Amino acid sequence: MTIQSMQFSAGKSVPHLHYEGEVIEGDLERIAAAVSQYVDCDPKTLPDTGGNCAVITLTSEGGNYVEGLRIAHFFRENAIATWVKTGSYCYSACAFAFLGGSGHSSWPATGDYIDRTIEPGGTLGFHAPYVVADSLGELVAQYGVQEVLGASRENIALMIDQLVYWNVDDGVLSRITNMGADEAYTASTAQDLYLLRTALPDAPRRLWAPDPAEALRNACMRLLAHHEDVWPYDVRDRLAGEIAYNIGTDDRGWALSGYELTGNPGGLTVSYCAVHTTDAHLGANADIALYYGPGVEGHMRPALTFFHRPEGWSTLGTGGTAAQRIFQKGGIGHFFLPPEAELGGAHALTWRLVGEDFLKTGRLGQ
């Protein structure tokens, strides 16, 4: 556990800590000692606009799952964001610790929120634990699970299901539990970031998806997938047409532009995904929504909205706690990528070229 600098980036002007190596019993105490030494911050004093007390970058092949879960809760309680950098890797127990990456807002309606980031070219990998430390029962009881879980793989699967607490899609966790000891679920595509509620670095949308029309289509896939409780890749054919401008108006008379959903007849069904025409460039705030077909008055009503706020809180839908929905400070860059877009390759190369300078300055070169 080391201190890298007293300012992680222009956007996160807080201490940068780095954790590396096998996750072993006692690591939580070592992390807590480093935070006590280098971080002078009470999460309750963070502004209503949100913030962190520190950022910790992670590089580890894994280790003790129980310790990883304890570390995750420590990160949440202390508003510490987690980050996996290009070329780094975080597997197994490290990945579970990564899930605890958090920020905090003093605004009661927000409170704790998820703040965990993977740079393109970084690796995050999960697999089911096969050995459980004797202290698992104590840990699970401490964090509210009603049963004391045993050491069998079936009971470990139940433990992992409890990690919906970290707002990971439950289908992913079920998939993890069905993998063998030599298999891993890795965050390799934009869809994986959606399912893991994990961010790309908070850079302008144009870095990840320069074409606004395609960016809108991809965001619509997330909305439709969330609405129908499926994965974004499964709905891509429903948004295969060309963008249409001024396809209708909302109940305030604002013109809408976007996509008609194939296989949806209109009227009382969700039939379109659109944004206000004036915001279709997606260069600033935008409300992207699924819409019902025109009603008797000729207007289209929203069914589910993604509030894109590059300088504020971006969220898919409303209600519930911030930590239990798709909610992020700044833009959600991976929403604008095709679900199948690989996070390595071209995106990793682009980030290698501009990422370090962007983190230092908060600006992209022209």
Side-chain angles (χ1 to χ4, degrees):
M1 186 71 187
T2 57
I3 179 73
Q4 300 293 295
S5 70
M6 294 307 291
Q7 178 171 310
F8 177 76
S9 68
K12 293 182 181 293
S13 56
V14 295
H16 172 195
L17 303 170
H18 181 66
Y19 175 92
E20 187 165 350
E22 182 183 0
V23 180
I24 61 175
E25 188 173 351
D27 277 354
L28 173 57
E29 285 71 23
R30 285 182 277 274
I31 291 171
V35 170
S36 177
Q37 181 177 357
Y38 297 112
V39 179
D40 182 15
C41 174
D42 179 351
K44 295 179 181 177
T45 66
L46 291 168
D48 57 4
T49 54
N52 311 100
C53 286
V55 176
I56 185 165
T57 49
L58 302 166
T59 302
S60 172
E61 293 184 354
N64 186 309
Y65 269 90
V66 174
E67 198 72 3
L69 290 171
R70 283 183 166 144
I71 292 169
H73 283 277
F74 178 83
F75 291 159
R76 169 61 55 83
E77 292 161 3
N78 290 276
I80 296 175
T82 52
W83 198 287
V84 178
K85 296 185 73 66
T86 301
S88 291
Y89 49 86
C90 180
Y91 286 104
S92 184
C94 175
F96 279 81
F98 170 86
L99 294 178
S102 301
H104 183 81
S105 164
S106 59
W107 188 34
T110 301
D112 296 329
Y113 60 91
I114 292 170
D115 196 339
R116 50 197 190 222
T117 300
I118 304 176
E119 295 181 1
T123 302
L124 183 74
F126 295 84
H127 66 74
Y130 283 79
V131 178
V132 185
D134 294 337
S135 57
L136 177 61
E138 177 186 349
L139 175 73
V140 173
Q142 180 179 354
Y143 292 110
V145 182
Q146 298 300 312
E147 300 177 4
V148 176
L149 304 180
S152 68
R153 188 182 177 201
E154 291 77 13
N155 283 340
I156 300 303
L158 292 177
M159 181 193 74
I160 293 179
D161 283 339
Q162 295 303 318
L163 291 183
V164 296
Y165 174 85
W166 298 114
N167 200 19
V168 173
D169 187 278
D170 55 1
V172 171
L173 295 176
S174 297
R175 180 174 170 182
I176 293 169
T177 62
N178 289 324
M179 288 181 170
D182 58 347
E183 297 178 292
Y185 173 83
T186 59
S188 59
T189 68
Q191 175 169 263
D192 293 323
L193 298 189
Y194 166 85
L195 297 170
L196 294 169
R197 314 305 189 231
T198 293
L200 287 169
D202 186 19
R205 185 268 311 159
R206 61 186 171 87
L207 176 67
W208 310 119
D211 182 346
E214 287 304 306
L216 177 61
R217 184 199 309 274
N218 294 324
C220 287
M221 291 182 198
R222 275 61 170 191
L223 276 161
L224 187 58
H226 189 78
H227 180 68
E228 298 187 351
D229 195 22
V230 296
W231 290 11
Y233 187 80
D234 297 332
V235 301
R236 65 196 188 284
D237 292 340
R238 306 266 299 281
L239 289 148
E242 296 297 318
I243 189 171
Y245 293 94
N246 301 320
I247 55 178
T249 59
D250 65 11
D251 54 10
R252 293 178 293 175
W254 290 38
L256 299 169
S257 295
Y259 297 90
E260 184 173 3
L261 306 181
T262 60
N264 289 46
L268 297 178
T269 62
V270 171
S271 304
Y272 300 90
C273 182
V275 66
H276 292 140
T277 299
T278 53
D279 299 330
H281 56 85
L282 299 183
N285 292 348
D287 295 350
I288 304 169
L290 297 177
Y291 283 90
Y292 297 105
V296 293
E297 296 181 353
H299 299 306
M300 296 159 58
R301 294 181 298 108
L304 177 66
T305 303
F306 166 47
F307 300 93
H308 171 54
R309 299 292 185 269
E311 303 297 331
W313 302 109
S314 293
T315 178
L316 198 166
T318 58
T321 63
Q324 287 297 318
R325 67 176 191 263
I326 299 176
F327 181 98
Q328 185 174 308
K329 185 176 181 180
I332 307 181
H334 60 80
F335 260 50
F336 301 109
L337 289 169
E340 70 276 14
E342 295 286 339
L343 300 178
H347 290 295
L349 177 60
T350 297
W351 185 251
R352 286 181 187 274
L353 292 173
V354 306
E356 183 176 353
D357 186 62
F358 174 76
L359 291 177
K360 287 181 179 178
T361 66
R363 298 187 301 273
L364 288 177
Q366 299 301 316

